[in-house]
Amino acid sequence: MIIKLKENFFKFLALHFFFLLLLIGIRFFEQLIFNFSDSLHFNLINFLVYRVNFDTLFVSICSVFLLIPFLLITLWSPRVAIIFLRIILFLLLLLHLALTQFFITAGFLLDDTVFYFSFNE
């Protein structure tokens, strides 16, 4: 049983690493869009220091919160645990893409002002 948990833990880490690479890719294209729209120059140091560090922190926090449910589901069924993790990471990726698209379109971050509007607005 310990060997199966260890194997699934490495699958867990691999999925989170792939998730991190996807987030960094999205950040890179976001930066390219801003460079072409605002005529700003790409600053690699700024990109690496702020955006990649933030994405790494986000993935680390997600992995901390998802590890215990993943291991508990692994005890029941390793295949279901992998499917569960893929679904959760896919939903987080879609949320990240939606928020990125909102920021590119609106030009500001989504904050508590969204609660001032009704559902129809």
Side-chain angles (χ1 to χ4, degrees):
M1 176 158 66
I2 299 293
I3 294 172
K4 285 188 178 185
L5 284 176
K6 190 175 183 180
E7 290 173 4
N8 287 319
F9 179 71
F10 287 125
K11 289 179 184 178
F12 177 84
L13 290 178
L15 281 171
H16 272 82
F17 182 72
F18 183 68
F19 181 60
L20 177 63
L21 291 178
L22 287 174
L23 288 180
I24 291 172
I26 291 169
R27 287 280 188 192
F28 182 74
F29 286 116
E30 177 186 354
Q31 185 68 35
L32 287 178
I33 288 170
F34 280 124
N35 285 346
F36 288 124
S37 65
D38 294 334
S39 300
L40 299 174
H41 298 293
F42 182 73
N43 187 352
L44 183 63
I45 302 299
N46 186 18
F47 179 77
L48 289 175
V49 170
Y50 295 111
R51 291 170 179 90
V52 173
N53 280 341
F54 180 78
D55 287 338
T56 305
L57 178 66
F58 176 71
V59 170
S60 299
I61 290 171
C62 287
S63 66
V64 166
F65 284 111
L66 290 174
L67 181 62
I68 299 298
F70 176 79
L71 291 178
L72 290 175
I73 296 172
T74 300
L75 295 175
W76 176 58
S77 172
R79 186 169 182 245
V80 172
I82 295 294
I83 292 170
F84 164 77
L85 186 62
R86 286 181 180 171
I87 290 171
I88 296 296
L89 291 179
F90 179 73
L91 292 174
L92 286 172
L93 187 67
L94 283 179
L95 179 66
H96 184 75
L97 281 170
L99 291 173
T100 300
Q101 180 62 37
F102 179 82
F103 180 65
I104 289 171
T105 304
F108 60 91
L109 294 174
L110 186 64
D111 56 0
D112 62 347
T113 57
V114 74
F115 296 117
Y116 297 125
F117 298 106
S118 68
F119 184 73
N120 294 332
E121 292 176 329

